[in-house]
Each structure stands twice: as structure tokens, then as C-alpha cells.
Amino acid sequence: QVKLPCRRNYVQWTNSSRVLDRWTDHEVLKDWIRERIALFQPDRVHICDGTEKEFQDLITLQIHLGSMIQLNPELRPNSYVVRSDKEDVARLEHKTFICSDSAAEAGPTNNWQDPLDTTNRMNTLFENSMRGRTMYVIPFCMGPLDSDMSYIGVQITDSPYVVTSMKIMTRMGLAVLQKLGTDGDFVPCIHSVGHPLVRGQVDSPWPSNPQKQVVHFPEQRRIWSFGSGYGGNALLGKKCFALRIASAIAREEGWLAEHMLIVGVTNPKGVKKYFAAAFPSACGKTNLSMMAPEIDGWKIECVGDDIAWMRINKKDGRLYAINPEAGFFGVAPGTSYKTNPNAMEGIKKNTIFTNVAITPEGDVWWEGMSKEKPDRLVTWLRTQMTKGDIEDAAHPNARFCAPASQCPVIDPNWENPEGVPISGIIFGGRRSQTVPLVYQARDWQHGTFIGSIMNSETTAAAAGIRGVLRPDPFAMYPFCGYNMADYFSHWLNFASLAPDEKLLPKIFHVNWFKKKSNKFVWPGFGQNIRVLKWIFERTDIENPADGSVVKTPIGYVPTPESIDTSGLDITTEDMKYLLQVDTREWRTEVDIYREFQSKFSKEKFPKRLVHELDLLAKEVAAP
Ligand code: GTP
Ligand code: SPV
Ligand code: MN
């Protein structure tokens, strides 16, 4: 039945009686799949068609394997919990590599390895790595199927958890094979949990391998990931493709692939504008993108919560953005009906939860979900706890994975093949000190500088210590697929792609996380609309120096009166604190930025950003 050049003769086709040839006439794709089968030696091969039946079959399989638990269908229909291995809970930045031809092309912010050595090493790791397992082939499209801005990938994986997650996070299956045709381009993505099974061996509920690594070849546009099953390491369409590989493609083709949410904001007069915002991992993108605004008359609609692909539209010369994803892979802890009601509504059904706690009723729980803790629960580490001693019930990077279409405030244009026009770009970070609630850049170059000097306190989204300040320019430090000096130049030069710089979005910076006595001063969440309102109105003003702003060394900061705080319980003193620019603190900042800039080669690093830093240093210098 199977005419594949495999060493083993019992490759079965469980998905369909048809063989590879009947699935596609794409010879390059078929050759690639055949080579992978020969290397990985899976017991079965399954080409994913993307149907609901296939999804349900794979869910049933995971339940049977003991790796997935079905939640109470009356409380949370078609929803499941998966608990990972203790060592496999977040992105692994020190095991993520950019294998460009030279180390200089990867740049000082990436881990580089020689592409040839790495290919050889990965070939050895992957040899026979799928023995005893099914190899799934997932054709997927990043972006709406009918968009010129979309790109196709094909992921091979031996994890049914990955397949069901990819079904939620991307457009996948037969429709993508059709779009690919006989010679369409695709990014080949390979993933194995690296845990082959011998006959009779009982599988682990979360198979993985200690030799975890996530490897990117930007020139060849391919991705290899081994050993980890966690989201960012295993759902290769997301950070690996849509950011690391796509950023390299975008640089070549003159567009932008960014770690940004996309949100539609409508004012009480009915005027609507879209904004894109880059905050580092676990710093508030999902929350801002679907926020329930706390001032009357304003409306928020969500286009995307994590990644934006943006290019200049030839028709009107403005910057347009699409969300390449089809689902949300969001941080669960802290998500509640108080902080993010739209996320809570959007995960009521058809959701896969990872590393959350389970209540006796068969529902989920995590820290911050409700004021009252449940009487009893089973933690993500599978231990029983009772009310008094409930602690670390969910992992701080526990996630929900839900279709975007279920979000009650999903934007009517979220799948528009042309994307949505962007009026403002907002940078932000987690800064307990120094950085004001909001400020505006003077122009595109200054805005690029503001993106380039972002620093943020580390979170649970990546393995390692939390709460340490580190550079995260454009929230892209872990995701830029090439030298960040070139990335900055790309941003600077991008202005010349617009027919007129005036058509480009205005650039802002926000910080929801400023602290006093170890407590957040700004209420955040739905109250962030007050800052969005100021930003919204600022985008109508052609010259940022006009209007009620204070010109400061870092840019234009709102006067305290120009932020609408009506009905908000916040003191004038706190507002002053949130908006202050303390030159002494900024002198320390300047030192941090200098140190960061010094990591790059002088020839590569854009002079315009050195100039901006010199300017800032001069303005904040001690009198
Ligand atoms: P990734 O998916 O990792 O890229 O993260 P994200 O940027 O989408 O972060 P998300 O919105 O999931 O927020 C992460 C954490 O920050 C959650 O625990 C939120 O509850 C918390 N958070 C979000 N917005 C705010 C805010 O305005 N104020 C405060 N204090 N916390 C917030
Ligand atoms: C992030 O870490 O920025 C995420 C989650 O959005 S992951 O998919 O793991 O990258
Ligand atoms: Mn992210």
C-alpha cells in the first residue's frame, strides 16, 4: 500500500487510505516528508487534514494516553488540561539558537551555532527519534488563508498535544495544502519530543528529552526543535516562524514582523483607530488587546494579542497589520473576571489549558482567578491541596489556548486579508521604577530609539530568574532572527518606505508597572483605557509638541490634567509620581543603554541611535 523509500515497511497511514501522492502533488514537500520519515522512523504517519473530527480523535487519544484530562463538560465544554514536565514549562532562551551563516549575522543578542555543525548534530539527535510514535504532518498558514501577507509552514511533530494546539493557533490542514499548490513556498518546521518508545514501553504523560534545543536557520528558512513540548518551543508557527524566521524575511522584503498586539479603539463619537503594541512576554499584551474599558463610551476590539505582521499598503501609503495567528496562547495566572473578563468569556469552551490546577468539580483554577480559593484542588504538579495551604497551584507561566474567534470582542476586521491601518505604535515594559506611565516620541527616529532602549523585568514566560531588569528592545530580544543592529537599521530605514512620514504611526511608550512601597501605583487593566484615550487623541495632533504636554528629555509626557482620571481613586501625588521624569534616575538608564549599545560592532550599529543616546545623555546630565 505504501510506496515510500523507508527502511521499515510498516509505516501505516492512519489518517486516510490515500497515500502521500493523493494528498499533494507538491514534489518538494513530498520529498521532504519522505526524507523525514526515513530519518525519524515513526511507526505511523498522519497528514493532518485540519477537520474537527481529526481534532476530536487526537483529544481522545491524549485522554487515553493519560496526558490530557477532560474538564467537566457542563462547566467547560470541550476543554482539557495538560500538565507538563517540571523542566518544560517555559521558553528556553539559552537553548534557542540562530544558525545564520556567520555569528555576526546572528548578532550579540542571539546564541549562534555553526549551521553545518548544528545540522549534523540535529541529524544525530533526530535519528530514530520517533520510533514507536506517530509522525504528524501539519500544513499551516500564518495569516488569513486569502491574504497576500500570509506565509505557509509545514510542521512535522510527534506530539498530539502540539497538533491540537496548532489547530487552535493556526489555520491548518487540507485548505493549506491546496493553497500551497504544486510549487508554493513553505517553511519546513521539525519538532520531536525526543522520546522514542520501544515495543511495550509505557509512555510518559509528558514525553520530553533533557537535550532540549530550538534551532533556526534564517537563510534557509527552516526550524528544528528537539526535546521540549512547551508552547513557544514546540508550536513552531508562533515565535520560531512568525517572529524569528519572519523577521528575517521581513527585513529582506521590506516589512515588519513584531511581538505586538493589535487593538481597535473606538471613541464615544464613533471614530475608530487601530494600535499595535510591543510589550515583552507576560507584560500585558493579551490584557490590553481585549480590555474591558473602564470609561464610558469607549470600545475596545481585538485583532491579535501577540504577533503583528505589518507592511505599507500601496493604496494609501499607511502601515497595515495582520495577526498571523488564529488563537490565543495566553498567560492564565492573574486572568479573572475583574482583570480580563473578555479572556474569561473566550476560554469558557474549546480550550486547552496547560499547567493549571483542577478543582474537584472538574474545572480549572489559577492564582488570581478568584478572590476565594477553592476548598480543594489538584495542583499542576498533581498534588492535592486544601484551602488553607493552597500555594503555587498553577505554574506562573500556565497558559490557556483558545480560538480567537471565541473572544467576545474580536474585531470584525481580524481576518481582513489587507489587515488594519495602524495609527499608533506603543512600546512598554515592566518597570517598577523610572519609566513614566506614558510618553510620546518626537518622531519616527526617536520612536525607534525608544523601542531600542527598552528594558524590562524578566517574567515566568522564559526559564530563569524572574524580576531582573534586562534589555528587551522592541520586546524582540528573544525573537529577532538576525543581528539586532540590523533590525534597528531596518526600523529606521522603514520610514523611507512610506510615501510620507506623516502617514506612519505615531510612537508612544507606556509602563503599567511602576511601584511605590512594592505596590503597583497605576490600577492597570481596564483603567489603561485612560492612557489609550490620551494616545488616541495625540494621534490627531500632527506636531507632538502641540497640546498639553511637557517636553522632557525622554519625549513628550502628558500634563497630569490631560490624563482623564475622573471617577478614579488616585491621588494627585501618585499621578505626579507616575508621570515624573527624574533626571538622576535617567542618568542610570543612559548607562544601561550605553552598555547595551557597546555589545554591538561599531560599524553595524546605526549612528542615528548613538546620536539619540548622546542627546538624551546631554539632556539628563547633572547640572
Ligand atoms: P505573552 O503571551 O507572554 O507574550 O504575554 P502578554 O504580553 O500577552 O502578557 P499578559 O497580557 O498575558 O499579562 C501577563 C501578566 O501581567 C498577567 O498575569 C496579567 O494579569 C498581568 N497584567 C497585564 N496587564 C496588567 C496591568 O495593566 N497591570 C498589572 N498590574 N498587571 C497586568
Ligand atoms: C511569550 O513567551 O512571549 C509567549 C508564549 O507569548 S510562547 O508561545 O511560549 O512564546
Ligand atoms: Mn509573546
Side-chain angles (χ1 to χ4, degrees):
Q1 181 201 6
V2 180
K3 27 175 196 173
L4 299 171
C6 307
R7 273 169 279 159
R8 293 165 85 184
N9 58 5
Y10 53 90
V11 172
Q12 299 163 11
W13 294 86
T14 53
N15 182 264
S16 160
S17 58
R18 295 179 295 174
V19 287
L20 205 48
D21 283 340
R22 304 217 205 121
W23 282 90
T24 172
D25 292 320
H26 197 300
E27 294 304 326
V28 176
L29 173 61
K30 281 191 290 191
D31 284 348
W32 177 69
I33 296 173
R34 285 188 196 106
E35 284 164 20
R36 297 307 108 195
I37 294 171
L39 181 65
F40 307 152
Q41 292 291 304
D43 272 16
R44 295 163 295 275
V45 178
H46 173 142
I47 312 278
C48 297
D49 58 19
T51 57
E52 188 54 33
K53 180 180 180 304
E54 176 182 73
F55 179 84
Q56 290 304 337
D57 288 349
L58 289 172
I59 292 286
T60 308
L61 173 72
Q62 291 174 81
I63 293 171
H64 279 281
L65 288 171
S67 60
M68 191 177 253
I69 294 169
Q70 173 151 29
L71 292 165
N72 183 339
E74 276 168 27
L75 301 174
R76 226 169 271 272
N78 193 30
S79 297
Y80 311 90
V81 171
V82 171
R83 278 102 38 115
S84 80
D85 199 88
K86 269 216 298 277
E87 315 300 320
D88 204 12
V89 293
R91 283 183 296 99
L92 300 165
E93 294 182 358
H94 59 297
K95 290 174 180 175
T96 299
F97 301 93
I98 300 294
C99 300
S100 23
D101 289 345
S102 71
E105 278 157 292
T109 61
N110 280 310
N111 300 311
W112 177 81
Q113 276 179 342
D114 179 78
L116 207 65
D117 292 350
T118 308
T119 300
N120 291 336
R121 194 186 69 242
M122 295 302 273
N123 269 322
T124 313
L125 274 178
F126 272 98
E127 197 175 351
N128 302 330
S129 73
M130 295 188 186
R131 280 236 161 108
R133 297 192 183 278
T134 303
M135 172 177 127
Y136 301 93
V137 181
I138 314 167
F140 65 94
C141 182
M142 297 312 288
L145 280 164
D146 56 349
S147 172
D148 293 340
M149 291 163 88
S150 298
Y151 283 80
I152 289 176
V154 181
Q155 175 165 351
I156 284 173
T157 181
D158 51 10
S159 160
Y161 168 75
V162 165
V163 181
T164 45
S165 303
M166 287 289 282
K167 162 77 175 157
I168 295 172
M169 294 305 295
T170 70
R171 287 102 179 154
M172 68 96 128
L174 265 185
V176 179
L177 278 184
Q178 271 153 18
K179 184 178 157 84
L180 199 54
T182 55
D183 58 359
D185 282 338
F186 67 96
V187 170
C189 308
I190 289 166
H191 171 251
S192 171
V193 294
H195 194 287
L197 295 169
V198 295
R199 203 168 286 275
Q201 183 183 349
V202 181
D203 202 357
S204 133
W206 183 270
S208 60
N209 186 302
Q211 292 199 61
K212 296 175 177 58
Q213 42 204 302
V214 188
V215 176
H216 307 72
F217 300 87
E219 281 100 351
Q220 299 145 38
R221 298 186 183 177
R222 60 190 177 93
I223 302 159
W224 284 28
S225 170
F226 183 84
S228 167
Y230 168 75
N233 306 325
L235 312 179
L236 301 186
K238 201 170 172 54
K239 296 306 193 322
C240 302
F241 182 172
L243 288 179
R244 297 195 190 96
I245 297 295
S247 63
I249 299 176
R251 174 196 181 198
E252 260 173 52
E253 297 181 353
W255 50 281
L256 303 168
E258 301 298 331
H259 192 202
M260 289 183 182
L261 67 91
I262 309 164
V263 65
V265 185
T266 308
N267 75 4
K269 290 193 186 121
V271 181
K272 182 167 187 179
K273 295 179 184 184
Y274 290 96
F275 296 87
F279 309 157
S281 300
C283 290
K285 289 184 300 303
T286 302
N287 279 267
L288 190 68
S289 76
M290 56 184 77
M291 159 239 284
E294 295 274 1
I295 40 181
D296 284 345
W298 289 76
K299 190 157 107 189
I300 290 287
E301 286 160 297
C302 177
V303 177
D305 81 327
D306 197 47
I307 299 174
W309 283 358
M310 306 192 284
R311 62 173 86 212
I312 303 288
N313 186 313
K314 293 227 166 58
K315 277 185 229 155
D316 62 4
R318 294 187 62 192
L319 186 68
Y320 278 67
I322 62 162
N323 170 12
E325 303 189 279
F328 303 131
F329 186 65
V331 176
T335 308
S336 70
Y337 272 99
K338 262 193 129 152
T339 57
N340 192 351
N342 291 318
M344 292 300 282
E345 284 295 308
I347 57 175
K348 269 173 126 171
K349 54 183 181 189
N350 311 324
T351 302
I352 299 175
F353 297 90
T354 303
N355 291 340
V356 300
I358 304 176
T359 66
E361 297 76 40
D363 202 2
V364 289
W365 196 80
W366 49 73
E367 276 69 20
M369 178 168 164
S370 57
K371 237 192 176 145
E372 275 288 289
K373 289 177 181 172
D375 289 335
R376 278 181 301 132
L377 49 70
V378 178
T379 69
W380 73 281
L381 287 171
R382 300 154 211 245
T383 51
Q384 294 267 358
M385 280 186 185
T386 46
K387 200 161 188 166
D389 53 41
I390 289 176
E391 223 181 8
D392 304 325
H395 185 274
N397 191 39
R399 299 260 167 179
F400 53 78
C401 179
S405 58
Q406 284 181 192
C407 177
V409 296
I410 196 73
D411 192 80
N413 272 316
W414 85 278
E415 298 196 276
N416 189 324
E418 301 222 326
V420 296
I422 300 297
S423 298
I425 288 174
I426 308 168
F427 296 120
R430 192 178 277 270
R431 294 299 305 267
S432 42
Q433 309 291 320
T434 314
V435 180
L437 180 64
V438 57
Y439 62 103
Q440 184 176 355
R442 293 188 291 271
D443 50 31
W444 184 266
Q445 174 173 312
H446 183 232
T448 302
F449 173 67
I450 289 174
S452 79
I453 61 174
M454 281 165 64
N455 278 266
S456 194
E457 289 144 26
T458 50
T459 66
I465 20 173
R466 265 169 264 159
V468 187
L469 194 64
R470 70 150 188 193
D472 197 348
F474 291 77
M476 283 289 280
Y477 189 101
F479 308 120
C480 184
Y482 59 101
N483 193 315
M484 252 190 151
D486 293 328
Y487 169 90
F488 297 152
S489 298
H490 181 55
W491 262 82
L492 289 166
N493 298 336
F494 196 76
S496 65
L497 295 180
D500 182 347
E501 191 178 314
K502 282 202 194 79
L503 293 170
L504 285 172
K506 304 279 195 305
I507 299 179
F508 302 85
H509 192 287
V510 300
N511 175 25
W512 315 140
F513 300 96
K514 219 169 163 181
K515 282 183 178 174
K516 225 187 206 174
S517 322
N518 211 27
K519 274 173 94 172
F520 295 122
V521 178
W522 180 249
F525 303 105
Q527 302 292 4
N528 291 334
I529 188 66
R530 297 171 190 274
V531 174
L532 282 188
K533 178 182 173 187
W534 185 81
I535 290 174
F536 186 104
E537 285 157 6
R538 293 296 302 171
T539 58
D540 287 332
I541 298 170
E542 212 154 89
N543 178 0
D546 294 346
S548 44
V549 291
V550 189
K551 182 179 186 299
T552 78
I554 63 168
Y556 296 99
V557 176
T559 56
E561 324 64 80
S562 63
I563 299 281
D564 179 354
T565 53
S566 54
L568 188 66
D569 188 19
I570 192 163
T571 64
T572 324
E573 194 198 329
D574 279 348
M575 278 313 289
K576 241 182 95 185
Y577 170 70
L578 287 172
L579 294 173
Q580 84 187 14
V581 177
D582 180 330
T583 46
R584 201 175 36 99
E585 287 178 340
W586 280 90
R587 285 201 285 278
T588 313
E589 289 288 304
V590 167
D591 293 341
I592 299 174
Y593 308 152
R594 283 254 189 259
E595 150 98 26
F596 179 68
Q597 289 194 355
S598 74
K599 292 194 188 331
F600 293 86
S601 92
K602 270 215 164 56
E603 300 78 69
K604 250 194 199 300
F605 199 84
K607 302 276 175 301
R608 284 175 277 180
L609 297 186
V610 180
H611 168 75
E612 287 286 348
L613 182 53
D614 289 343
L615 222 66
L616 174 62
K618 214 169 97 195
E619 296 234 5
V620 300

